[in-house]
Amino acid sequence: MTEDFSDSRRKFLGYAIAGIGGAVALGYAVPLVQYLVEPAMEPQQEQWSLVCGVQDIPAEEPKSFTFYSNLTIAWETKRVQRDVWVVKKQDNSYTVFSPVCPHLGCAYNWNNQKRLFICPCHGSVYTITGKVVAGPAPRPLDTLPAKVENGNLYVKYEKFRLGIPEKVLA
Ligand code: FES
């Protein structure tokens, strides 16, 4: 009888210790999983990148520039090549367009004779301000955050969802 009681007590203590150990392990596991998973769920982020000196931007027509940007995905940062279209406005400010046609993602070009941006894929046509004038594009060209510092143009490259009327980060 005494032995049975001791056995049950031992078993009970064993379960209790295992339960407490499990709870402690879970207490560590949840923040660890959050630490590992949450960064991977966040949108990709790029830092401000030097595109060009403002003296390299012509006044008469949009110009395409290629530059390198630091892209951070979860815990990893890598250097990626990017393109943008830059338009110098009459007030000497700048509009920077994503090079991606918001219809389905093709690269469009500037036609200086027609003074229009034209996408070769499905014929979307945009004015120099990015407004859609023809074709299936559901929204104007996407502008990117830009700033001028010490005579240089900096851009924060972003990607947007394609084929929808709203400009939403991808
Ligand atoms: Fe440009 Fe379709 S991707 S018009």
PDB file of all heavy atoms in Angstrom, residues 47-57 63-69 82-87 95-97 144-149 151-157:
ATOM      1  N   GLN A  47      17.315  50.129 -49.473  1.00  0.00           N
ATOM      2  CA  GLN A  47      17.777  51.381 -48.881  1.00  0.00           C
ATOM      3  C   GLN A  47      17.845  52.468 -49.945  1.00  0.00           C
ATOM      4  O   GLN A  47      17.785  52.184 -51.129  1.00  0.00           O
ATOM      5  CB  GLN A  47      19.153  51.148 -48.262  1.00  0.00           C
ATOM      6  CG  GLN A  47      19.092  50.157 -47.105  1.00  0.00           C
ATOM      7  CD  GLN A  47      20.448  49.549 -46.789  1.00  0.00           C
ATOM      8  OE1 GLN A  47      21.477  49.983 -47.285  1.00  0.00           O
ATOM      9  NE2 GLN A  47      20.436  48.522 -45.957  1.00  0.00           N
ATOM     10  N   TRP A  48      17.990  53.706 -49.510  1.00  0.00           N
ATOM     11  CA  TRP A  48      18.198  54.806 -50.441  1.00  0.00           C
ATOM     12  C   TRP A  48      19.475  54.521 -51.223  1.00  0.00           C
ATOM     13  O   TRP A  48      20.496  54.165 -50.631  1.00  0.00           O
ATOM     14  CB  TRP A  48      18.333  56.131 -49.694  1.00  0.00           C
ATOM     15  CG  TRP A  48      17.037  56.634 -49.148  1.00  0.00           C
ATOM     16  CD1 TRP A  48      16.573  56.490 -47.878  1.00  0.00           C
ATOM     17  CD2 TRP A  48      16.041  57.366 -49.870  1.00  0.00           C
ATOM     18  NE1 TRP A  48      15.337  57.088 -47.765  1.00  0.00           N
ATOM     19  CE2 TRP A  48      14.991  57.632 -48.972  1.00  0.00           C
ATOM     20  CE3 TRP A  48      15.923  57.819 -51.190  1.00  0.00           C
ATOM     21  CZ2 TRP A  48      13.840  58.330 -49.340  1.00  0.00           C
ATOM     22  CZ3 TRP A  48      14.778  58.502 -51.565  1.00  0.00           C
ATOM     23  CH2 TRP A  48      13.757  58.758 -50.640  1.00  0.00           C
ATOM     24  N   SER A  49      19.392  54.708 -52.540  1.00  0.00           N
ATOM     25  CA  SER A  49      20.546  54.412 -53.388  1.00  0.00           C
ATOM     26  C   SER A  49      20.873  55.607 -54.263  1.00  0.00           C
ATOM     27  O   SER A  49      19.968  56.289 -54.766  1.00  0.00           O
ATOM     28  CB  SER A  49      20.240  53.223 -54.304  1.00  0.00           C
ATOM     29  OG  SER A  49      19.839  52.131 -53.536  1.00  0.00           O
ATOM     30  N   LEU A  50      22.165  55.802 -54.480  1.00  0.00           N
ATOM     31  CA  LEU A  50      22.620  56.865 -55.378  1.00  0.00           C
ATOM     32  C   LEU A  50      22.335  56.450 -56.817  1.00  0.00           C
ATOM     33  O   LEU A  50      22.745  55.375 -57.248  1.00  0.00           O
ATOM     34  CB  LEU A  50      24.125  57.078 -55.191  1.00  0.00           C
ATOM     35  CG  LEU A  50      24.798  58.016 -56.188  1.00  0.00           C
ATOM     36  CD1 LEU A  50      24.270  59.440 -56.047  1.00  0.00           C
ATOM     37  CD2 LEU A  50      26.304  57.997 -56.006  1.00  0.00           C
ATOM     38  N   VAL A  51      21.605  57.316 -57.542  1.00  0.00           N
ATOM     39  CA  VAL A  51      21.280  57.018 -58.942  1.00  0.00           C
ATOM     40  C   VAL A  51      22.230  57.752 -59.882  1.00  0.00           C
ATOM     41  O   VAL A  51      22.819  57.165 -60.780  1.00  0.00           O
ATOM     42  CB  VAL A  51      19.815  57.411 -59.249  1.00  0.00           C
ATOM     43  CG1 VAL A  51      19.498  57.204 -60.724  1.00  0.00           C
ATOM     44  CG2 VAL A  51      18.869  56.585 -58.389  1.00  0.00           C
ATOM     45  N   CYS A  52      22.398  59.062 -59.660  1.00  0.00           N
ATOM     46  CA  CYS A  52      23.234  59.861 -60.563  1.00  0.00           C
ATOM     47  C   CYS A  52      23.415  61.256 -59.966  1.00  0.00           C
ATOM     48  O   CYS A  52      22.741  61.617 -58.999  1.00  0.00           O
ATOM     49  CB  CYS A  52      22.557  59.983 -61.934  1.00  0.00           C
ATOM     50  SG  CYS A  52      20.962  60.815 -61.863  1.00  0.00           S
ATOM     51  N   GLY A  53      24.293  62.018 -60.567  1.00  0.00           N
ATOM     52  CA  GLY A  53      24.386  63.427 -60.240  1.00  0.00           C
ATOM     53  C   GLY A  53      23.281  64.156 -60.985  1.00  0.00           C
ATOM     54  O   GLY A  53      22.940  63.761 -62.112  1.00  0.00           O
ATOM     55  N   VAL A  54      22.713  65.189 -60.391  1.00  0.00           N
ATOM     56  CA  VAL A  54      21.593  65.865 -61.070  1.00  0.00           C
ATOM     57  C   VAL A  54      22.037  66.516 -62.384  1.00  0.00           C
ATOM     58  O   VAL A  54      21.225  66.718 -63.284  1.00  0.00           O
ATOM     59  CB  VAL A  54      20.895  66.903 -60.162  1.00  0.00           C
ATOM     60  CG1 VAL A  54      20.154  66.212 -59.041  1.00  0.00           C
ATOM     61  CG2 VAL A  54      21.879  67.917 -59.622  1.00  0.00           C
ATOM     62  N   GLN A  55      23.329  66.804 -62.513  1.00  0.00           N
ATOM     63  CA  GLN A  55      23.807  67.396 -63.773  1.00  0.00           C
ATOM     64  C   GLN A  55      23.698  66.396 -64.928  1.00  0.00           C
ATOM     65  O   GLN A  55      23.754  66.793 -66.088  1.00  0.00           O
ATOM     66  CB  GLN A  55      25.258  67.908 -63.626  1.00  0.00           C
ATOM     67  CG  GLN A  55      26.334  66.842 -63.619  1.00  0.00           C
ATOM     68  CD  GLN A  55      26.505  66.153 -62.264  1.00  0.00           C
ATOM     69  OE1 GLN A  55      25.845  66.502 -61.281  1.00  0.00           O
ATOM     70  NE2 GLN A  55      27.396  65.173 -62.208  1.00  0.00           N
ATOM     71  N   ASP A  56      23.525  65.103 -64.617  1.00  0.00           N
ATOM     72  CA  ASP A  56      23.412  64.080 -65.669  1.00  0.00           C
ATOM     73  C   ASP A  56      21.976  63.901 -66.167  1.00  0.00           C
ATOM     74  O   ASP A  56      21.721  63.076 -67.049  1.00  0.00           O
ATOM     75  CB  ASP A  56      23.909  62.724 -65.138  1.00  0.00           C
ATOM     76  CG  ASP A  56      25.372  62.789 -64.730  1.00  0.00           C
ATOM     77  OD1 ASP A  56      26.126  63.541 -65.383  1.00  0.00           O
ATOM     78  OD2 ASP A  56      25.746  62.108 -63.749  1.00  0.00           O
ATOM     79  N   ILE A  57      21.040  64.640 -65.575  1.00  0.00           N
ATOM     80  CA  ILE A  57      19.628  64.464 -65.957  1.00  0.00           C
ATOM     81  C   ILE A  57      19.257  65.553 -66.968  1.00  0.00           C
ATOM     82  O   ILE A  57      19.279  66.738 -66.637  1.00  0.00           O
ATOM     83  CB  ILE A  57      18.709  64.561 -64.719  1.00  0.00           C
ATOM     84  CG1 ILE A  57      19.153  63.552 -63.660  1.00  0.00           C
ATOM     85  CG2 ILE A  57      17.255  64.327 -65.124  1.00  0.00           C
ATOM     86  CD1 ILE A  57      18.517  63.769 -62.299  1.00  0.00           C
ATOM     87  N   LYS A  63      15.163  60.198 -68.912  1.00  0.00           N
ATOM     88  CA  LYS A  63      16.358  59.376 -69.120  1.00  0.00           C
ATOM     89  C   LYS A  63      16.323  58.164 -68.194  1.00  0.00           C
ATOM     90  O   LYS A  63      15.922  58.277 -67.030  1.00  0.00           O
ATOM     91  CB  LYS A  63      17.612  60.214 -68.855  1.00  0.00           C
ATOM     92  CG  LYS A  63      18.892  59.453 -69.167  1.00  0.00           C
ATOM     93  CD  LYS A  63      20.117  60.337 -69.148  1.00  0.00           C
ATOM     94  CE  LYS A  63      21.351  59.475 -69.373  1.00  0.00           C
ATOM     95  NZ  LYS A  63      22.593  60.230 -69.316  1.00  0.00           N
ATOM     96  N   SER A  64      16.763  57.033 -68.750  1.00  0.00           N
ATOM     97  CA  SER A  64      16.830  55.807 -67.953  1.00  0.00           C
ATOM     98  C   SER A  64      18.201  55.709 -67.286  1.00  0.00           C
ATOM     99  O   SER A  64      19.218  55.967 -67.924  1.00  0.00           O
ATOM    100  CB  SER A  64      16.609  54.607 -68.878  1.00  0.00           C
ATOM    101  OG  SER A  64      16.817  53.418 -68.162  1.00  0.00           O
ATOM    102  N   PHE A  65      18.217  55.350 -66.010  1.00  0.00           N
ATOM    103  CA  PHE A  65      19.475  55.170 -65.279  1.00  0.00           C
ATOM    104  C   PHE A  65      19.509  53.772 -64.662  1.00  0.00           C
ATOM    105  O   PHE A  65      18.480  53.265 -64.201  1.00  0.00           O
ATOM    106  CB  PHE A  65      19.598  56.193 -64.137  1.00  0.00           C
ATOM    107  CG  PHE A  65      19.867  57.594 -64.620  1.00  0.00           C
ATOM    108  CD1 PHE A  65      18.821  58.460 -64.865  1.00  0.00           C
ATOM    109  CD2 PHE A  65      21.168  58.035 -64.826  1.00  0.00           C
ATOM    110  CE1 PHE A  65      19.060  59.753 -65.309  1.00  0.00           C
ATOM    111  CE2 PHE A  65      21.416  59.325 -65.272  1.00  0.00           C
ATOM    112  CZ  PHE A  65      20.358  60.186 -65.517  1.00  0.00           C
ATOM    113  N   THR A  66      20.698  53.202 -64.656  1.00  0.00           N
ATOM    114  CA  THR A  66      20.918  51.908 -63.991  1.00  0.00           C
ATOM    115  C   THR A  66      21.814  52.160 -62.784  1.00  0.00           C
ATOM    116  O   THR A  66      22.768  52.925 -62.872  1.00  0.00           O
ATOM    117  CB  THR A  66      21.609  50.924 -64.955  1.00  0.00           C
ATOM    118  OG1 THR A  66      20.739  50.724 -66.073  1.00  0.00           O
ATOM    119  CG2 THR A  66      21.868  49.587 -64.288  1.00  0.00           C
ATOM    120  N   PHE A  67      21.487  51.535 -61.668  1.00  0.00           N
ATOM    121  CA  PHE A  67      22.282  51.733 -60.448  1.00  0.00           C
ATOM    122  C   PHE A  67      22.192  50.465 -59.593  1.00  0.00           C
ATOM    123  O   PHE A  67      21.484  49.520 -59.959  1.00  0.00           O
ATOM    124  CB  PHE A  67      21.767  52.959 -59.669  1.00  0.00           C
ATOM    125  CG  PHE A  67      20.340  52.827 -59.216  1.00  0.00           C
ATOM    126  CD1 PHE A  67      20.033  52.470 -57.906  1.00  0.00           C
ATOM    127  CD2 PHE A  67      19.287  53.042 -60.093  1.00  0.00           C
ATOM    128  CE1 PHE A  67      18.726  52.329 -57.491  1.00  0.00           C
ATOM    129  CE2 PHE A  67      17.963  52.898 -59.688  1.00  0.00           C
ATOM    130  CZ  PHE A  67      17.692  52.543 -58.387  1.00  0.00           C
ATOM    131  N   TYR A  68      22.904  50.473 -58.486  1.00  0.00           N
ATOM    132  CA  TYR A  68      22.863  49.312 -57.573  1.00  0.00           C
ATOM    133  C   TYR A  68      22.197  49.704 -56.254  1.00  0.00           C
ATOM    134  O   TYR A  68      22.383  50.810 -55.757  1.00  0.00           O
ATOM    135  CB  TYR A  68      24.268  48.769 -57.320  1.00  0.00           C
ATOM    136  CG  TYR A  68      24.795  48.047 -58.528  1.00  0.00           C
ATOM    137  CD1 TYR A  68      25.534  48.725 -59.484  1.00  0.00           C
ATOM    138  CD2 TYR A  68      24.506  46.706 -58.735  1.00  0.00           C
ATOM    139  CE1 TYR A  68      25.987  48.071 -60.620  1.00  0.00           C
ATOM    140  CE2 TYR A  68      24.951  46.045 -59.862  1.00  0.00           C
ATOM    141  CZ  TYR A  68      25.687  46.730 -60.799  1.00  0.00           C
ATOM    142  OH  TYR A  68      26.126  46.088 -61.920  1.00  0.00           O
ATOM    143  N   SER A  69      21.423  48.775 -55.754  1.00  0.00           N
ATOM    144  CA  SER A  69      20.664  49.019 -54.528  1.00  0.00           C
ATOM    145  C   SER A  69      20.911  47.863 -53.562  1.00  0.00           C
ATOM    146  O   SER A  69      21.132  46.730 -54.002  1.00  0.00           O
ATOM    147  CB  SER A  69      19.175  49.098 -54.897  1.00  0.00           C
ATOM    148  OG  SER A  69      18.382  49.173 -53.744  1.00  0.00           O
ATOM    149  N   ARG A  82      19.310  47.885 -60.492  1.00  0.00           N
ATOM    150  CA  ARG A  82      17.979  48.458 -60.714  1.00  0.00           C
ATOM    151  C   ARG A  82      18.017  49.482 -61.835  1.00  0.00           C
ATOM    152  O   ARG A  82      19.066  50.096 -62.084  1.00  0.00           O
ATOM    153  CB  ARG A  82      17.479  49.156 -59.439  1.00  0.00           C
ATOM    154  CG  ARG A  82      17.282  48.253 -58.238  1.00  0.00           C
ATOM    155  CD  ARG A  82      16.226  47.245 -58.487  1.00  0.00           C
ATOM    156  NE  ARG A  82      15.867  46.489 -57.297  1.00  0.00           N
ATOM    157  CZ  ARG A  82      15.392  45.252 -57.354  1.00  0.00           C
ATOM    158  NH1 ARG A  82      15.236  44.636 -58.511  1.00  0.00           N
ATOM    159  NH2 ARG A  82      15.066  44.620 -56.249  1.00  0.00           N
ATOM    160  N   ASP A  83      16.876  49.693 -62.459  1.00  0.00           N
ATOM    161  CA  ASP A  83      16.711  50.742 -63.469  1.00  0.00           C
ATOM    162  C   ASP A  83      15.558  51.633 -63.050  1.00  0.00           C
ATOM    163  O   ASP A  83      14.596  51.158 -62.437  1.00  0.00           O
ATOM    164  CB  ASP A  83      16.359  50.138 -64.835  1.00  0.00           C
ATOM    165  CG  ASP A  83      17.416  49.176 -65.311  1.00  0.00           C
ATOM    166  OD1 ASP A  83      18.558  49.610 -65.472  1.00  0.00           O
ATOM    167  OD2 ASP A  83      17.093  47.990 -65.492  1.00  0.00           O
ATOM    168  N   VAL A  84      15.647  52.891 -63.421  1.00  0.00           N
ATOM    169  CA  VAL A  84      14.524  53.820 -63.211  1.00  0.00           C
ATOM    170  C   VAL A  84      14.486  54.799 -64.390  1.00  0.00           C
ATOM    171  O   VAL A  84      15.490  54.973 -65.094  1.00  0.00           O
ATOM    172  CB  VAL A  84      14.664  54.639 -61.900  1.00  0.00           C
ATOM    173  CG1 VAL A  84      14.435  53.764 -60.685  1.00  0.00           C
ATOM    174  CG2 VAL A  84      16.007  55.352 -61.814  1.00  0.00           C
ATOM    175  N   TRP A  85      13.356  55.421 -64.584  1.00  0.00           N
ATOM    176  CA  TRP A  85      13.231  56.536 -65.518  1.00  0.00           C
ATOM    177  C   TRP A  85      13.146  57.817 -64.697  1.00  0.00           C
ATOM    178  O   TRP A  85      12.350  57.894 -63.747  1.00  0.00           O
ATOM    179  CB  TRP A  85      11.968  56.397 -66.374  1.00  0.00           C
ATOM    180  CG  TRP A  85      12.131  55.418 -67.501  1.00  0.00           C
ATOM    181  CD1 TRP A  85      11.744  54.111 -67.509  1.00  0.00           C
ATOM    182  CD2 TRP A  85      12.719  55.676 -68.778  1.00  0.00           C
ATOM    183  NE1 TRP A  85      12.069  53.533 -68.705  1.00  0.00           N
ATOM    184  CE2 TRP A  85      12.665  54.471 -69.513  1.00  0.00           C
ATOM    185  CE3 TRP A  85      13.295  56.796 -69.367  1.00  0.00           C
ATOM    186  CZ2 TRP A  85      13.153  54.358 -70.807  1.00  0.00           C
ATOM    187  CZ3 TRP A  85      13.784  56.683 -70.661  1.00  0.00           C
ATOM    188  CH2 TRP A  85      13.711  55.476 -71.364  1.00  0.00           C
ATOM    189  N   VAL A  86      13.961  58.806 -65.069  1.00  0.00           N
ATOM    190  CA  VAL A  86      13.969  60.065 -64.335  1.00  0.00           C
ATOM    191  C   VAL A  86      13.520  61.191 -65.261  1.00  0.00           C
ATOM    192  O   VAL A  86      14.009  61.301 -66.392  1.00  0.00           O
ATOM    193  CB  VAL A  86      15.379  60.372 -63.780  1.00  0.00           C
ATOM    194  CG1 VAL A  86      15.363  61.679 -63.000  1.00  0.00           C
ATOM    195  CG2 VAL A  86      15.866  59.234 -62.896  1.00  0.00           C
ATOM    196  N   VAL A  87      12.600  62.001 -64.777  1.00  0.00           N
ATOM    197  CA  VAL A  87      12.087  63.138 -65.539  1.00  0.00           C
ATOM    198  C   VAL A  87      12.397  64.410 -64.760  1.00  0.00           C
ATOM    199  O   VAL A  87      12.020  64.532 -63.583  1.00  0.00           O
ATOM    200  CB  VAL A  87      10.553  63.015 -65.741  1.00  0.00           C
ATOM    201  CG1 VAL A  87      10.021  64.243 -66.483  1.00  0.00           C
ATOM    202  CG2 VAL A  87      10.206  61.744 -66.493  1.00  0.00           C
ATOM    203  N   THR A  95      10.853  63.622 -61.149  1.00  0.00           N
ATOM    204  CA  THR A  95       9.949  62.492 -60.941  1.00  0.00           C
ATOM    205  C   THR A  95      10.708  61.248 -61.338  1.00  0.00           C
ATOM    206  O   THR A  95      11.342  61.219 -62.396  1.00  0.00           O
ATOM    207  CB  THR A  95       8.693  62.608 -61.821  1.00  0.00           C
ATOM    208  OG1 THR A  95       8.029  63.828 -61.509  1.00  0.00           O
ATOM    209  CG2 THR A  95       7.737  61.443 -61.571  1.00  0.00           C
ATOM    210  N   VAL A  96      10.650  60.239 -60.469  1.00  0.00           N
ATOM    211  CA  VAL A  96      11.324  58.975 -60.778  1.00  0.00           C
ATOM    212  C   VAL A  96      10.262  57.894 -60.911  1.00  0.00           C
ATOM    213  O   VAL A  96       9.439  57.691 -60.016  1.00  0.00           O
ATOM    214  CB  VAL A  96      12.329  58.601 -59.663  1.00  0.00           C
ATOM    215  CG1 VAL A  96      12.984  57.265 -59.980  1.00  0.00           C
ATOM    216  CG2 VAL A  96      13.385  59.689 -59.526  1.00  0.00           C
ATOM    217  N   PHE A  97      10.289  57.224 -62.073  1.00  0.00           N
ATOM    218  CA  PHE A  97       9.323  56.162 -62.337  1.00  0.00           C
ATOM    219  C   PHE A  97       9.981  54.793 -62.217  1.00  0.00           C
ATOM    220  O   PHE A  97      11.126  54.589 -62.666  1.00  0.00           O
ATOM    221  CB  PHE A  97       8.768  56.275 -63.761  1.00  0.00           C
ATOM    222  CG  PHE A  97       7.874  57.466 -63.988  1.00  0.00           C
ATOM    223  CD1 PHE A  97       8.232  58.450 -64.893  1.00  0.00           C
ATOM    224  CD2 PHE A  97       6.670  57.591 -63.308  1.00  0.00           C
ATOM    225  CE1 PHE A  97       7.410  59.544 -65.118  1.00  0.00           C
ATOM    226  CE2 PHE A  97       5.850  58.692 -63.524  1.00  0.00           C
ATOM    227  CZ  PHE A  97       6.213  59.672 -64.424  1.00  0.00           C
ATOM    228  N   LEU A 144       8.545  56.496 -57.637  1.00  0.00           N
ATOM    229  CA  LEU A 144       9.351  55.984 -56.529  1.00  0.00           C
ATOM    230  C   LEU A 144       9.789  57.137 -55.639  1.00  0.00           C
ATOM    231  O   LEU A 144       9.974  58.263 -56.125  1.00  0.00           O
ATOM    232  CB  LEU A 144      10.597  55.278 -57.084  1.00  0.00           C
ATOM    233  CG  LEU A 144      10.322  54.054 -57.962  1.00  0.00           C
ATOM    234  CD1 LEU A 144      11.609  53.553 -58.601  1.00  0.00           C
ATOM    235  CD2 LEU A 144       9.679  52.947 -57.130  1.00  0.00           C
ATOM    236  N   PRO A 145      10.004  56.881 -54.340  1.00  0.00           N
ATOM    237  CA  PRO A 145      10.526  57.936 -53.464  1.00  0.00           C
ATOM    238  C   PRO A 145      11.899  58.394 -53.958  1.00  0.00           C
ATOM    239  O   PRO A 145      12.758  57.560 -54.263  1.00  0.00           O
ATOM    240  CB  PRO A 145      10.647  57.238 -52.104  1.00  0.00           C
ATOM    241  CG  PRO A 145       9.772  56.030 -52.196  1.00  0.00           C
ATOM    242  CD  PRO A 145       9.765  55.627 -53.637  1.00  0.00           C
ATOM    243  N   ALA A 146      12.076  59.713 -54.045  1.00  0.00           N
ATOM    244  CA  ALA A 146      13.347  60.260 -54.549  1.00  0.00           C
ATOM    245  C   ALA A 146      13.712  61.497 -53.740  1.00  0.00           C
ATOM    246  O   ALA A 146      12.835  62.189 -53.216  1.00  0.00           O
ATOM    247  CB  ALA A 146      13.217  60.611 -56.021  1.00  0.00           C
ATOM    248  N   LYS A 147      15.022  61.763 -53.653  1.00  0.00           N
ATOM    249  CA  LYS A 147      15.475  62.977 -52.961  1.00  0.00           C
ATOM    250  C   LYS A 147      16.810  63.406 -53.569  1.00  0.00           C
ATOM    251  O   LYS A 147      17.558  62.583 -54.129  1.00  0.00           O
ATOM    252  CB  LYS A 147      15.620  62.734 -51.457  1.00  0.00           C
ATOM    253  CG  LYS A 147      16.678  61.707 -51.086  1.00  0.00           C
ATOM    254  CD  LYS A 147      16.743  61.499 -49.582  1.00  0.00           C
ATOM    255  CE  LYS A 147      17.798  60.459 -49.203  1.00  0.00           C
ATOM    256  NZ  LYS A 147      17.871  60.171 -47.787  1.00  0.00           N
ATOM    257  N   VAL A 148      17.093  64.703 -53.438  1.00  0.00           N
ATOM    258  CA  VAL A 148      18.373  65.240 -53.923  1.00  0.00           C
ATOM    259  C   VAL A 148      19.179  65.672 -52.712  1.00  0.00           C
ATOM    260  O   VAL A 148      18.680  66.389 -51.835  1.00  0.00           O
ATOM    261  CB  VAL A 148      18.148  66.434 -54.873  1.00  0.00           C
ATOM    262  CG1 VAL A 148      19.485  67.078 -55.244  1.00  0.00           C
ATOM    263  CG2 VAL A 148      17.421  65.981 -56.132  1.00  0.00           C
ATOM    264  N   GLU A 149      20.422  65.194 -52.656  1.00  0.00           N
ATOM    265  CA  GLU A 149      21.341  65.591 -51.581  1.00  0.00           C
ATOM    266  C   GLU A 149      22.707  65.862 -52.173  1.00  0.00           C
ATOM    267  O   GLU A 149      23.244  64.999 -52.902  1.00  0.00           O
ATOM    268  CB  GLU A 149      21.442  64.481 -50.524  1.00  0.00           C
ATOM    269  CG  GLU A 149      20.305  64.515 -49.519  1.00  0.00           C
ATOM    270  CD  GLU A 149      20.409  63.399 -48.487  1.00  0.00           C
ATOM    271  OE1 GLU A 149      21.462  62.730 -48.410  1.00  0.00           O
ATOM    272  OE2 GLU A 149      19.422  63.193 -47.783  1.00  0.00           O
ATOM    273  N   GLY A 151      23.698  67.565 -54.587  1.00  0.00           N
ATOM    274  CA  GLY A 151      23.779  67.486 -56.051  1.00  0.00           C
ATOM    275  C   GLY A 151      23.604  66.095 -56.623  1.00  0.00           C
ATOM    276  O   GLY A 151      23.826  65.873 -57.818  1.00  0.00           O
ATOM    277  N   ASN A 152      23.201  65.137 -55.790  1.00  0.00           N
ATOM    278  CA  ASN A 152      22.979  63.770 -56.278  1.00  0.00           C
ATOM    279  C   ASN A 152      21.528  63.352 -56.070  1.00  0.00           C
ATOM    280  O   ASN A 152      20.887  63.756 -55.096  1.00  0.00           O
ATOM    281  CB  ASN A 152      23.879  62.784 -55.525  1.00  0.00           C
ATOM    282  CG  ASN A 152      25.339  62.984 -55.853  1.00  0.00           C
ATOM    283  OD1 ASN A 152      25.704  63.157 -57.019  1.00  0.00           O
ATOM    284  ND2 ASN A 152      26.175  62.985 -54.830  1.00  0.00           N
ATOM    285  N   LEU A 153      21.053  62.533 -57.000  1.00  0.00           N
ATOM    286  CA  LEU A 153      19.685  62.008 -56.889  1.00  0.00           C
ATOM    287  C   LEU A 153      19.729  60.628 -56.238  1.00  0.00           C
ATOM    288  O   LEU A 153      20.473  59.743 -56.686  1.00  0.00           O
ATOM    289  CB  LEU A 153      19.049  61.907 -58.282  1.00  0.00           C
ATOM    290  CG  LEU A 153      17.620  61.351 -58.303  1.00  0.00           C
ATOM    291  CD1 LEU A 153      16.629  62.359 -57.731  1.00  0.00           C
ATOM    292  CD2 LEU A 153      17.209  60.961 -59.715  1.00  0.00           C
ATOM    293  N   TYR A 154      18.920  60.460 -55.204  1.00  0.00           N
ATOM    294  CA  TYR A 154      18.812  59.178 -54.502  1.00  0.00           C
ATOM    295  C   TYR A 154      17.389  58.645 -54.652  1.00  0.00           C
ATOM    296  O   TYR A 154      16.429  59.424 -54.634  1.00  0.00           O
ATOM    297  CB  TYR A 154      19.121  59.323 -53.009  1.00  0.00           C
ATOM    298  CG  TYR A 154      20.555  59.669 -52.735  1.00  0.00           C
ATOM    299  CD1 TYR A 154      21.004  60.992 -52.806  1.00  0.00           C
ATOM    300  CD2 TYR A 154      21.482  58.680 -52.393  1.00  0.00           C
ATOM    301  CE1 TYR A 154      22.331  61.313 -52.569  1.00  0.00           C
ATOM    302  CE2 TYR A 154      22.812  58.998 -52.151  1.00  0.00           C
ATOM    303  CZ  TYR A 154      23.219  60.315 -52.232  1.00  0.00           C
ATOM    304  OH  TYR A 154      24.527  60.634 -51.992  1.00  0.00           O
ATOM    305  N   VAL A 155      17.283  57.330 -54.775  1.00  0.00           N
ATOM    306  CA  VAL A 155      15.970  56.700 -54.947  1.00  0.00           C
ATOM    307  C   VAL A 155      15.847  55.525 -53.986  1.00  0.00           C
ATOM    308  O   VAL A 155      16.824  54.831 -53.701  1.00  0.00           O
ATOM    309  CB  VAL A 155      15.810  56.189 -56.404  1.00  0.00           C
ATOM    310  CG1 VAL A 155      14.631  55.251 -56.546  1.00  0.00           C
ATOM    311  CG2 VAL A 155      15.656  57.367 -57.353  1.00  0.00           C
ATOM    312  N   LYS A 156      14.631  55.348 -53.513  1.00  0.00           N
ATOM    313  CA  LYS A 156      14.334  54.147 -52.729  1.00  0.00           C
ATOM    314  C   LYS A 156      13.496  53.245 -53.644  1.00  0.00           C
ATOM    315  O   LYS A 156      12.322  53.544 -53.895  1.00  0.00           O
ATOM    316  CB  LYS A 156      13.546  54.531 -51.477  1.00  0.00           C
ATOM    317  CG  LYS A 156      13.590  53.504 -50.419  1.00  0.00           C
ATOM    318  CD  LYS A 156      13.069  54.071 -49.114  1.00  0.00           C
ATOM    319  CE  LYS A 156      13.322  53.067 -48.022  1.00  0.00           C
ATOM    320  NZ  LYS A 156      12.631  53.388 -46.817  1.00  0.00           N
ATOM    321  N   TYR A 157      14.107  52.189 -54.144  1.00  0.00           N
ATOM    322  CA  TYR A 157      13.422  51.347 -55.123  1.00  0.00           C
ATOM    323  C   TYR A 157      12.328  50.521 -54.447  1.00  0.00           C
ATOM    324  O   TYR A 157      12.533  49.958 -53.379  1.00  0.00           O
ATOM    325  CB  TYR A 157      14.426  50.416 -55.811  1.00  0.00           C
ATOM    326  CG  TYR A 157      13.859  49.784 -57.051  1.00  0.00           C
ATOM    327  CD1 TYR A 157      13.951  50.421 -58.272  1.00  0.00           C
ATOM    328  CD2 TYR A 157      13.203  48.570 -56.991  1.00  0.00           C
ATOM    329  CE1 TYR A 157      13.413  49.863 -59.415  1.00  0.00           C
ATOM    330  CE2 TYR A 157      12.656  47.998 -58.121  1.00  0.00           C
ATOM    331  CZ  TYR A 157      12.771  48.650 -59.330  1.00  0.00           C
ATOM    332  OH  TYR A 157      12.222  48.091 -60.456  1.00  0.00           O
TER     333      TYR A 157
END
